[in-house]
Amino acid sequence: MVEQESQHRLTDIFKAAGDPTRRSILTLLAQQGPLRVTDIAAHFDMSLNSVSKHIKVLEGAGLVTRRTEWREHLIELRVEELAHVDLWFRDLRSIWALRLEALDHLLTQETDP
């Protein structure tokens, strides 16, 4: 059950980050910290409404959060959610490392007299 939930989280993250505009928003937030939606929109050649829709997708995937300070709504990157991606790539690298190690072992045995 936990594994299935983790797979759904990973799918949501990859779907959200699959769009270049959304990746640019994530990069912008990583570089500049929390920003207002209007500040984010100023970096893109699209309407404020379109940028808001991209942010909602990122919120749905848990990659950003919205918090209110006084009258301003700030969008903030949630780097801890990227741990799901790191973990998946680590597992993938581990599988390939084992396969390459086995291949190396086979090749070494064949060349030894």
Side-chain angles (χ1 to χ4, degrees):
M1 185 71 168
V2 173
E3 176 65 26
Q4 188 176 12
E5 185 177 318
S6 177
Q7 289 297 321
H8 286 299
R9 294 281 313 123
L10 193 58
T11 299
D12 291 343
I13 290 169
F14 279 131
K15 280 182 182 176
D19 182 90
T21 298
R22 291 183 210 130
R23 286 195 305 273
S24 293
I25 291 171
L26 293 173
T27 301
L28 188 63
L29 292 170
Q31 292 171 336
Q32 298 189 16
L35 293 171
R36 297 178 310 159
V37 176
T38 52
D39 294 332
I40 295 170
H43 291 269
F44 299 95
D45 188 25
M46 62 178 65
S47 70
L48 180 62
N49 191 36
S50 295
V51 171
S52 291
K53 287 180 180 176
H54 283 295
I55 291 170
K56 285 198 181 299
V57 172
L58 293 170
E59 283 181 290
L63 293 172
V64 299
T65 57
R66 185 183 305 254
R67 65 181 160 92
T68 305
E69 281 188 15
W70 295 90
R71 300 174 77 179
E72 295 183 343
H73 293 256
L74 296 174
I75 308 301
E76 186 170 18
L77 179 66
R78 294 187 65 211
V79 291
E80 63 274 11
E81 288 299 310
L82 298 177
H84 294 282
V85 176
D86 286 340
L87 184 63
W88 183 76
F89 276 115
R90 187 192 70 201
D91 290 347
L92 194 62
R93 279 191 299 269
S94 175
I95 292 167
W96 274 102
L98 289 172
R99 286 182 171 191
L100 290 173
E101 191 175 298
L103 179 63
D104 184 52
H105 182 71
L106 279 172
L107 292 174
T108 304
Q109 282 183 336
E110 287 182 8
T111 57
D112 288 342

